[in-house]
Amino acid sequence: TLFNSRNVVASIDYHSFGQLVLYPWGYTTAEIPNANEFLRPNTKTKDKVLFAELANKIATEIGGYTPQKSSALYPVSGGSEDWEYNTKHSASFVIEIGTVFQPPVAQIGIISQANIKGARWLMFWAVDQALKKSLRLVHREFGNEFSFAHITLKAEHLAER
């Protein structure tokens, strides 16, 4: 699968409906263990705190969506957000789009445009995390004497055409 062949930093699985941004855990109401720091290693930022922050930012970017743990909607076994986080330590979310199971055709474009904003924000966050991880690996390999290029990504490069 794609997840097994790549170093996936973040993902979104879209479902309908509910205007929710869901994050692990979905199979239990228990919290992610306090010790978990997979999403931002060596920063002492706990994953359970970071998931809530990321979900809140995605929901804010979309507008009108509510961030919450997946199990708050209903317990589910085998949810993608749980599997992807537990297996690959990726920042994985499920976004429940729209207000009805099958949105009217006239609403699909509006829903899509709003959700692109949240996905774009998460993508930039993921690229930032991947670059930081790469720099940590280079530092570990070569010590303090290395140089690197400063990379800036701009949202207009991803603008809809």
Side-chain angles (χ1 to χ4, degrees):
T1 68
L2 178 65
F3 257 83
N4 289 329
S5 64
R6 303 279 190 258
N7 181 21
V8 178
V9 177
S11 69
I12 297 174
D13 189 2
Y14 290 95
H15 294 212
S16 64
F17 68 98
Q19 294 186 312
L20 300 170
V21 178
L22 305 173
Y23 57 92
W25 297 122
Y27 79 97
T28 179
T29 57
E31 295 291 333
I32 292 172
N34 265 337
N36 286 16
E37 297 173 2
F38 300 125
L39 301 180
R40 240 189 229 157
N42 306 318
T43 64
K44 303 299 182 213
T45 302
K46 305 300 182 195
D47 288 356
K48 70 178 186 178
V49 172
L50 188 56
F51 263 118
E53 290 173 1
L54 294 174
N56 187 58
K57 182 63 177 171
I58 294 167
T60 299
E61 289 292 319
I62 296 170
Y65 279 47
T66 302
Q68 68 183 44
K69 282 181 52 179
S70 292
S71 60
L73 179 60
Y74 55 82
V76 61
S77 178
S80 61
E81 72 283 14
D82 287 0
W83 183 85
E84 293 162 6
Y85 171 67
N86 193 48
T87 305
K88 293 293 192 175
H89 304 143
S90 67
S92 299
F93 299 88
V94 170
I95 297 182
E96 296 281 352
I97 62 171
T99 58
V100 295
F101 186 69
Q102 292 182 324
V105 171
Q107 291 293 310
I108 292 173
I110 296 166
I111 292 168
S112 297
Q113 288 302 310
N115 277 274
I116 285 171
K117 294 173 187 174
R120 182 181 296 150
W121 183 87
L122 183 62
M123 181 195 65
F124 280 112
W125 178 85
V127 167
D128 182 60
Q129 299 310 301
L131 289 172
K132 287 176 182 174
K133 182 178 181 180
S134 294
L135 290 175
R136 281 192 300 274
L137 294 174
V138 168
H139 182 264
R140 190 172 12 196
E141 183 72 23
F142 299 105
N144 288 328
E145 296 194 28
F146 67 94
S147 54
F148 58 92
H150 178 78
I151 299 172
T152 302
L153 298 174
K154 295 184 179 181
E156 61 261 22
H157 296 297
L158 300 171
E160 298 77 38
R161 306 217 185 262

